[in-house]
Each structure stands twice: as structure tokens, then as C-alpha cells.
Amino acid sequence: MKRNTLCIVFLLAVNYLFAQDCNKILSGRVIDFHDGVSLEGATITFNSTTIKTDSNGMYKITGLCATSYAFTISHEDCNSQVVTININEVSDKDFYLEHHLSELQEVKVSGKNKTKTSSSQEETINKNIIDKYSSATLGDALREIPGVSSLNTGSTIVKPIIQGLSGSRVLILNNNVRMQDMEWGEEHAPNVDINTAGNVTVVKGASALKYGGDAIGGIIIMESNRVPAKDTLFGKTIVTGATNGRGGTISSEIVKGYHNGWFVKGQGTLKRFGDFEAPDYVLSNTGVSEKGGSVAFGINKFEYGLDAFYSFYDAEIGVLASSHIGNPDDLFQSINSGQPDIIRDFTYDILNPRQEVTHHLGKVKYYRRFEELGKWTTQYDFQNNQRFEFDTRRTDDLSRRPSVDLELTTHTLTSDFNFDANNNYSFNAGVMLRYQNNFADALETGVRRLIPDYDKYDFGAFITGELEINESLILEAGIRYDFTRVDAKKFYLESRWDERGYEADFSDIVIERGVIGSQLLTNPIFDYHNISSTVGIQYLFKEDYQLRANYTLSQRPPNPAELFSDGLHHSAARIEIGDLRFNKETSHKFSTSILKNNEKWGWEIAPYVNFIKDYILLEPVDATLTIRGPFPVWEYRQTNALLLGFDAKMYVHWSKNWQTDHNFSLVKGKETDDDIPLINMPAPNFTNKIVFTEQDWFNLQVSLESQYTFRQNEFPPNIFVFSQDAGEEIELKINTPPDAYHLLSFDTNMGFKLGEKNDLKVGLTINNLLNKRYRNYLNRQRNFADDLGRNFLLRLTINY
């Protein structure tokens, strides 16, 4: 009965169509939505009939009846569209197609990301390398890139260094949000979970003005893969176990996408390690407990999109017990003995000194494309960072209270428009507004604030442009203006105030004297106007050669730690003193790179020179007596500096199965006025790796890596301090670097199919294969203990 009814309806419909006067015409063009270009060869299909557009993108359909038709419009690399048109009402119609489909399908091109700039030195690490460092930190993974090293506090607090510069000179973007996580301490690591990233790009320099003009060292951009606009469900789980630290990590991600562009995804990570071990002893109180997670949802269409993202990061990190010295004689003893003063049995317990850090990050982003014009993007993001630092204090009750309690809250609004309708040139212009509040809870800690309460206001505006002269030559330029105001409430001891000579220059900022005994309350308000600019070229020649050259002017205002630090930094176990007189840093960086890439072999050489006026550094100067005993004194100082260096790399595909990789980095940093080497400059390092791959053996890959780190022979002079034991001033060799060292690492992995859409990847890594004793010049704990010994890591990665 049902079948008969359908047949009757069909016959009636056919009869109705044939009964009409079918002499209607529909005509128009098929156009690229992005740049308005007419699409030749686009197809329009209806009722089993297909026609194509001509060289001008024009079409004309005749013999249509006065009724509604469903037309399917298609073109290569485009999303097909189905459009229903009532021919009785419409005779002329232009169709717009999404010709830049790749921007919606970035999962398919993972590892082949577009560069962030055209003329700067850039490098990206893909998901395979990120998975390899699933149980480590962002700073550990970035060391795979030539020119990137790290400033460590033990093995769990790792700050990236780009071509000799670190801290607030290196900008970190997490999912398009600039991280505001109190990066002004050497032992303040980025509060990010590397497992949330789909890829990480390092821009060596501040030329990516869209993200900020103060990144004198460079920019680290962590991005998650976009979800394709189709019905899909996929995910991944990584489980890692390690012998050194006797712990591991589990990280899992699940993604759901829909054909209409909607998506939702979630990710979570748990990490737990006990005390790590040097080759000969336990590094007591170096465990870490970490957990993090993120959720995101939104709609991802070509014309418009909206996404919301939230992430949470929580970490408890132990600080090597023996690194908390009570006086210079402890440091003399530690350097001379060659091993830590405190060595306990292995434990998962994390005692004082330790850090507890939580970081909340949320954002909402909206974008919309305008026909033949470009793309407008607006984003609001919020961050809250809570940092507790616990020290070993005089009583158990005091030890349970944090010595440092800082809460940093940041609100940021950004908006930009990318004019990209023309294939030969594009412009990107935008603005940024930011408000930040820091609250230091001195009542909770019972300790004078190291960093004061303050409000910080930022405004930025930029415009960048790119001009393609021809297929071989691209020019790039941009300029950015930033305004920063810092409004602080700062207590000073009168003795410190007089010692720094502030009365003559800053008496007008004193709002109350004789506060809490011998202190005075001040209200310093500082304004900074900063200009950044960049110009560069990219030139392709002889098919597989590329030349990039770039000049960048960048300016960075001093951060609150550099201005206001005044007191005992408990987790660093030293007195730190800032200076209200600091000016902004101004950097002139010239960089270039020439590279060759083909299937057989390739190489790249990238020299650079960076002139920095009013460079701010932190250095040891003395030791002083407090109620807790004597501590080393570190002061911030401003000088003029020159950084000169180059990065080089080469790869050779010797055969189908064998490949070698070679990287070398060198940077020299000096004060230009006194010709004194800068503190904490990375030592030259040379890395060589041989890799064997065989796809027929379950995608087997085996590699052996040799890393040779030279001794840093250029370092600032040591200081002389009074030794209570010796009863006289003696040289404290706090700046003397350790010897050179050579490490071997082994890595292997294989992949197995678990079904049509599931696979398992098994990996084994052995770091410090020969269990070599060594100390890294850029590890703050090098004066107290050796670095990590041999470590076996087993990884299981399940894709589903």
C-alpha cells in the first residue's frame, strides 16, 4: 500500500512538472567567498543534470519550470553547497563557495602549519614530539629546537630561553591567550600542560607584532588542532611511566565534531613523581604532583565561528631541600663537597620548600568573514593565577603558612581585522585592552611583601602587512604601539629607602611615613610608551633554497619584580632588590636565515645580532644578615648589552631507512660598556642523531642521540662575601660554570593497528643512557647537586 502511494505521488509530480511552462532561465556566477574571484569549472547539479561555469565563472541554465529546485554547487577544494531556489521568483543568482577549505580542516594538515611570519626565524614541533614529552614540561620539549634552551630549577621547573633571553622577554601563548603567570622569577615556570597543545611554534624574536611588542626574546605559540566540520568522534590516551622519579603521567583527550560545524572536546592530565635521582644519590624533595584539564566547545564554519575554552592547572612542586642555604658558608661547603648536604631515602612526600600553583584560564572567541574583504576576530580572556611558596620556617605553625601568597588576575580584550581578499597583499590591524591586579596577602604569610599589590593597565594597537612581489619574493612590515601603567602600593623600610637614595627622587610618591614602625607607604605610578616595528623579506630561489631576513625594534617596560622586589624570596633562598629608576629595554635585532630543503638533504644557518639598550639583569652582589640568618643578595641592574650568535642544523636521508640530524647553537652575551659577560648565557651545544625507520616492521623507528654541551667559558666575575667560619671575606664561586659534558639518549617506537580506526603506539626512551654525572650551567641547583641520572620512559599511545 505504501509503495503504491509513493508511485501515485511521483506520477502526479511528474505530470505536474510536464504540465507547466518550462521556459524559465537561471543565470549568474560562482564566486570565491574569500576574495571574490570567479571560479571556472564549478559544477551545478540538479535533476541528474550537470553544467559547468565558464572561464568567467558564469553559468546559464535554461528550460526550468516555475517551481523550486535543489541545486548542488561544487568546486575543487571547496565545500559543496545545496541551495533551494524558487525559479518562479528568482532568475539571477550568484553562488559563493568556501574555496579556502584548508582553514576548516587543519587536522588534516597537522605538522604542516603555516608560518606566523614571513621573514622571522621560526620552527614548529608537531604532535609526535609533544607526545614524546608527555610526562615532561614545555621547556623540555622546546629544547628539540636549535637556539632554544632552558633555565632550570631542578628538573621540574623549566623556563624556556630563546637565543639567550628568557623570563618576561619570552611571550607564551596558550590557545591564543597570553600567559600571565608571574613569569618574573627564575623559578616560576609556565603554568601550562603541554598535552593540551596540537603543535608548538617558536618565533625567535618579536616580529610577530600581533601577539605583543615586548617579546624581545621570542614568542612561543601553543595551538590546539581545530576540529573538522564533519560528523566525527576521535580521541587519544597517552600513558607514560618512568624509572627516575618512579612515577608517570596519564593524559586523555576526546573530540566530537558535527557536519554543521559544531564541536566539543575535553582533555585531562594527571602526573605524579616522587624524588628524582642523580647517578649517585637521591635528589631529596624534588617530587611533583600535577593535574590539569580543559574543555572547549563552539561552532567552526567558514563564514563565522565561535568557541569557548576553559583550562585548569594545578601543581605542587618540591624544591631540592639542600638548595635552601642559610648562609654563604653553606654554599662554600656545597660547592666543595660535590654533593648535597641533605640526602634522604626516596619518597613521594613533598615537603618544604615547595610551591603550590593553580591557574584558571578561560576565553571566548568570535570570528566572522566578510565577502571579498577579510576576517574579523574578537576575543575576551580571563586568567587567575594563585601562587603559594612554602619555606622551612622557625616553627611548625609558621612552616604550614606560605611565605609567599600572590594572586594575579588578568582580563584581556583583543580585536583584529585581517584584510586578505587580495592574493598579492594583506593587512592585519588590531587593538588590545588589558587590566591586571596583583594581590599579595601579607597578613596570611606574616612576611613583608616581596612583590607589592598593584594594578596594571595595558593598551596596544598594531598594523602589519605582507606584500607578495612575485612567487619568489615576499615583503613584510609592521608597527605596534603599547601603553603600560603600573599603579602600586608599596611599603619600604626606611633603611632601604635611604640606602637606595629614593628620598631625593621619589619623595613625592610617599603617602604615609612611620607606618608599622620604621616603614613608609608609597604609591609609585609609572607610565611607559613603547614602540615596536619590524621589516623583513622572504626570498625563494633555485627551487629549494630560501632566504629570510628581518629587523625588529622592540621595547619592554620593566616588570613589577624588576621595579619593586625588596626582600627575601623564600623559594629562591635569597634577598632580591629591584630599582624604581629602571627605564624600558630597547632591542634592535637583526636576524637572517638561509636554508635548503629537498628530499635527500637540507640545512639551515641562522645568524643574529641583538643590541639591547638598558638591559635588565639579576646578579649576586653580596650576603646580608636577616633575623633568619645571612642570605645571598641578588640585585637587578640595568646596562647595555650585545647578544651575538647563530643556530645551524642539517639533515641527510642516506637511504630509505637511515637519516641523520645535526644541530649546533652558539650565543655570546656581553655588557658593551664594560665588556663583561652576561650571566646565564647558554653554553654552546652540539647535537647529533642517527635514525633508522622501517615502515614494514610496524612503523619501527629507532634513534640514538649524542648531545655535547661545552663549558661556558664566558661568565661574570664571582663575588667576595664574609665567611663566618673563616672570619674574613673569601671568593664565593657562585658564577663559575661546571665542566662540559656529553650525554647519550636512545628512543624507539612502533605502531600497531587495533582495528579499522584504532591504533596503538609503543615507545621507549632512555635519557642519560650511560648514567653520566654532570651539572648544567643553566640549572639554578647546579651548586648543590648533580643533574638527573639514567631514566627509562615507557609510552603507550592509543588513538581511537
Side-chain angles (χ1 to χ4, degrees):
M1 183 63 186
K2 184 177 180 181
R3 177 179 298 177
N4 292 336
T5 301
L6 290 174
C7 289
I8 292 171
V9 171
F10 176 76
L11 290 173
L12 288 175
V14 171
N15 181 62
Y16 175 73
L17 288 175
F18 279 101
Q20 295 184 80
D21 183 14
C22 295
N23 58 0
K24 299 290 184 180
I25 298 174
L26 180 68
S27 61
R29 286 195 308 157
V30 178
I31 305 167
D32 184 344
F33 182 97
H34 177 73
D35 53 18
V37 171
S38 299
L39 297 178
E40 179 184 2
T43 60
I44 303 173
T45 304
F46 68 103
N47 291 352
S48 302
T49 301
T50 299
I51 63 172
K52 287 188 176 182
T53 57
D54 62 17
S55 58
N56 295 316
M58 302 294 295
Y59 74 90
K60 184 177 182 180
I61 306 173
T62 59
L64 297 173
C65 301
T67 187
S68 295
Y69 288 83
F71 297 96
T72 301
I73 304 96
S74 305
H75 189 263
E76 184 180 7
D77 295 333
C78 292
N79 266 342
S80 296
Q81 286 190 20
V82 178
V83 180
T84 300
I85 297 176
N86 187 344
I87 298 301
N88 197 36
E89 299 175 353
V90 178
S91 61
D92 185 64
K93 175 68 177 177
D94 291 341
F95 297 110
Y96 288 86
L97 288 184
E98 302 165 358
H99 198 226
H100 291 248
L101 183 61
S102 60
E103 296 190 25
L104 291 175
Q105 306 290 351
E106 291 186 10
V107 164
K108 294 181 179 178
V109 295
S110 177
K112 299 179 180 178
N113 300 283
K114 295 183 294 185
T115 57
K116 308 302 177 188
T117 69
S118 294
S119 59
S120 297
Q121 300 171 17
E122 288 187 31
E123 193 147 349
T124 298
I125 58 173
N126 58 31
K127 196 61 181 173
N128 290 332
I129 296 178
I130 292 172
D131 290 349
K132 177 182 174 182
Y133 289 92
S134 174
S135 63
T137 68
L138 173 67
D140 292 317
L142 293 179
R143 286 199 294 257
E144 293 264 346
I145 297 177
V148 181
S149 48
S150 62
L151 184 62
N152 290 25
T153 301
S155 58
T156 52
I157 302 174
V158 184
K159 293 175 71 73
I161 299 177
I162 300 177
Q163 294 181 334
L165 299 174
S166 66
S168 55
R169 301 181 184 93
V170 174
L171 188 159
I172 297 177
L173 280 169
N174 180 10
N175 220 334
N176 206 44
V177 178
R178 176 172 177 163
M179 295 298 294
Q180 304 285 340
D181 49 0
M182 307 180 188
E183 71 276 19
W184 47 70
E186 290 181 350
E187 81 291 5
H188 296 186
N191 301 142
V192 295
D193 176 9
I194 190 174
N195 295 291
T196 62
N199 63 75
V200 182
T201 299
V202 173
V203 181
K204 299 173 182 175
S207 54
L209 295 181
K210 173 181 177 180
Y211 305 111
D214 55 346
I216 291 175
I219 302 170
I220 298 168
I221 303 170
M222 300 174 60
E223 296 176 309
S224 58
N225 288 324
R226 296 181 69 177
V227 181
K230 63 180 184 181
D231 290 325
T232 182
L233 175 65
F234 59 92
K236 176 167 63 177
T237 297
I238 306 174
V239 180
T240 303
T243 57
N244 200 335
R246 307 180 197 180
T249 301
I250 178 168
S251 179
S252 190
E253 178 187 67
I254 186 78
V255 180
K256 172 61 181 172
Y258 298 88
H259 73 282
N260 57 8
W262 283 95
F263 68 90
V264 59
K265 57 183 176 181
Q267 184 273 338
T269 299
L270 291 174
K271 179 192 292 187
R272 187 72 173 96
F273 285 93
D275 290 336
F276 292 93
E277 298 175 48
D280 299 325
Y281 45 77
V282 173
L283 300 169
S284 295
N285 201 48
T286 55
V288 60
S289 175
E290 182 181 310
K291 52 182 175 291
S294 65
V295 293
F297 68 93
I299 185 169
N300 177 25
K301 298 181 76 69
F302 186 80
E303 293 90 348
Y304 63 91
L306 172 72
D307 71 83
F309 174 82
Y310 167 77
S311 70
F312 171 71
Y313 175 88
D314 179 278
E316 183 179 13
I317 305 170
V319 177
L320 181 71
S322 59
S323 68
H324 259 224
I325 58 172
N327 57 65
D329 288 310
D330 290 348
L331 187 54
F332 297 143
Q333 172 64 25
S334 179
I335 292 175
N336 294 334
S337 67
Q339 70 175 35
D341 291 337
I342 302 173
I343 299 176
R344 298 189 287 254
D345 293 337
F346 172 87
T347 178
Y348 289 98
D349 296 337
I350 300 175
L351 308 175
N352 294 356
R354 61 189 170 92
Q355 302 177 0
E356 285 186 8
V357 184
T358 57
H359 193 95
H360 299 267
L361 184 155
K363 78 160 189 179
V364 178
K365 185 175 78 172
Y366 174 78
Y367 70 84
R368 185 170 188 84
R369 295 179 193 274
F370 295 87
E371 297 173 20
E372 304 177 33
L373 191 60
K375 179 180 178 182
W376 170 59
T377 305
T378 292
Q379 174 178 301
Y380 163 77
D381 57 76
F382 164 82
Q383 294 178 72
N384 178 268
N385 188 286
Q386 178 74 64
R387 165 175 282 267
F388 298 111
E389 297 181 0
F390 296 85
D391 191 14
T392 305
R393 302 173 72 174
R394 286 170 292 166
T395 66
D396 290 341
D397 180 57
L398 286 174
S399 292
R400 284 191 288 271
R401 299 170 62 183
S403 301
V404 172
D405 180 350
L406 298 174
E407 182 176 10
L408 189 72
T409 305
T410 308
H411 303 266
T412 306
L413 180 66
T414 58
S415 184
D416 70 274
F417 199 100
N418 189 26
F419 300 87
D420 60 355
N422 193 297
N423 288 327
N424 295 325
Y425 61 84
S426 63
F427 296 95
N428 189 205
V431 295
M432 177 275 295
L433 295 170
R434 177 178 297 126
Y435 167 71
Q436 185 175 81
N437 172 263
N438 182 71
F439 174 64
D441 193 346
L443 296 179
E444 173 64 23
T445 62
V447 178
R448 291 184 65 246
R449 297 171 177 87
L450 174 68
I451 305 293
D453 298 345
Y454 67 83
D455 294 307
K456 185 165 172 277
Y457 307 87
D458 293 291
F459 167 78
F462 72 91
I463 182 168
T464 62
E466 189 176 288
L467 175 63
E468 184 175 326
I469 304 296
N470 52 50
E471 292 184 353
S472 300
L473 181 61
I474 296 176
L475 302 181
E476 180 187 44
I479 187 168
R480 181 181 176 109
Y481 166 76
D482 285 281
F483 168 75
T484 298
R485 163 167 286 194
V486 179
D487 184 347
K489 292 289 177 59
K490 167 70 177 169
F491 289 91
Y492 276 97
L493 291 171
E494 290 182 0
S495 57
R496 182 77 72 196
W497 185 261
D498 295 338
E499 171 200 311
R500 308 296 292 179
Y502 285 157
E503 185 63 26
D505 298 330
F506 299 105
S507 60
D508 58 320
I509 69 172
V510 177
I511 56 178
E512 189 174 358
R513 297 179 185 271
V515 181
I516 316 176
S518 59
Q519 295 189 78
L520 48 83
L521 176 61
T522 64
N523 181 205
I525 301 175
F526 296 120
D527 293 339
Y528 301 94
H529 300 270
N530 302 316
I531 296 292
S532 309
S533 63
T534 183
V535 59
I537 66 166
Q538 179 192 103
Y539 178 54
L540 308 177
F541 58 103
K542 291 185 178 180
E543 294 186 356
D544 49 10
Y545 286 86
Q546 183 181 110
L547 171 68
R548 289 183 172 211
N550 179 274
Y551 160 73
T552 302
L553 161 68
S554 51
Q555 294 184 318
R556 181 184 74 90
N559 67 36
E562 294 162 342
L563 288 170
F564 306 123
S565 286
D566 176 27
L568 180 59
H569 193 165
H570 289 262
S571 66
R574 64 194 187 195
I575 305 290
E576 294 181 354
I577 301 173
D579 197 321
L580 296 177
R581 299 184 179 88
F582 281 162
N583 301 314
K584 60 190 175 187
E585 287 184 349
T586 300
S587 162
H588 299 270
K589 184 174 183 178
F590 300 85
S591 63
T592 186
S593 66
I594 183 170
L595 63 90
K596 172 186 171 66
N597 276 323
N598 65 30
E599 294 182 356
K600 293 291 185 182
W601 70 295
W603 51 262
E604 179 177 5
I605 298 177
Y608 59 89
V609 58
N610 195 350
F611 300 91
I612 305 178
K613 182 175 182 294
D614 294 324
Y615 176 81
I616 300 173
L617 56 85
L618 178 63
E619 62 183 0
V621 295
D622 199 358
T624 190
L625 184 65
T626 73
I627 59 174
R628 292 200 50 227
F631 279 91
V633 178
W634 289 59
E635 278 190 11
Y636 288 97
R637 181 169 62 86
Q638 204 157 34
T639 183
N640 296 324
L642 168 65
L643 278 76
L644 180 68
F646 73 95
D647 305 321
K649 65 178 183 180
M650 185 175 76
Y651 66 85
V652 182
H653 293 281
W654 298 97
S655 69
K656 173 188 172 186
N657 304 110
W658 293 94
Q659 174 184 340
T660 58
D661 297 289
H662 316 273
N663 297 326
F664 179 79
S665 292
L666 172 70
V667 56
K668 300 284 187 181
K670 286 191 175 181
E671 297 183 43
T672 53
D673 296 336
D674 302 320
D675 198 29
I676 298 175
L678 294 176
I679 192 170
N680 287 338
M681 284 293 109
N685 59 86
F686 190 27
T687 302
N688 297 279
K689 182 162 67 175
I690 183 169
V691 183
F692 173 79
T693 57
E694 178 52 72
Q695 293 185 353
D696 294 336
W697 299 350
F698 300 102
N699 288 320
L700 173 68
Q701 182 177 80
V702 182
S703 66
L704 182 66
E705 181 178 283
S706 157
Q707 180 187 6
Y708 186 84
T709 301
F710 295 80
R711 184 178 187 273
Q712 178 54 277
N713 292 320
E714 299 181 2
F715 57 94
N718 290 309
I719 61 174
F720 286 82
V721 298
F722 183 79
S723 166
Q724 292 178 314
D725 294 344
E728 61 180 352
E729 287 202 340
I730 59 175
E731 183 182 15
L732 184 63
K733 296 182 179 180
I734 195 170
N735 288 330
T736 300
D739 294 333
Y741 58 89
H742 177 230
L743 301 178
L744 288 177
S745 299
F746 172 83
D747 183 78
T748 183
N749 58 74
M750 300 177 74
F752 305 91
K753 296 294 290 184
L754 298 179
E756 185 179 351
K757 296 182 179 179
N758 305 328
D759 62 71
L760 168 67
K761 192 172 183 179
V762 181
L764 173 67
T765 299
I766 308 174
N767 292 325
N768 195 0
L769 186 63
L770 303 179
N771 210 25
K772 174 81 174 180
R773 291 180 57 189
Y774 73 100
R775 299 193 181 199
N776 186 340
Y777 173 61
L778 294 178
N779 192 333
R780 290 182 57 251
Q781 295 177 354
R782 71 175 190 273
N783 290 319
F784 313 102
D786 292 333
D787 226 304
L788 292 186
R790 184 187 295 120
N791 190 16
F792 291 84
L793 296 104
L794 179 65
R795 296 183 305 280
L796 303 177
T797 304
I798 306 172
N799 293 295
Y800 43 87

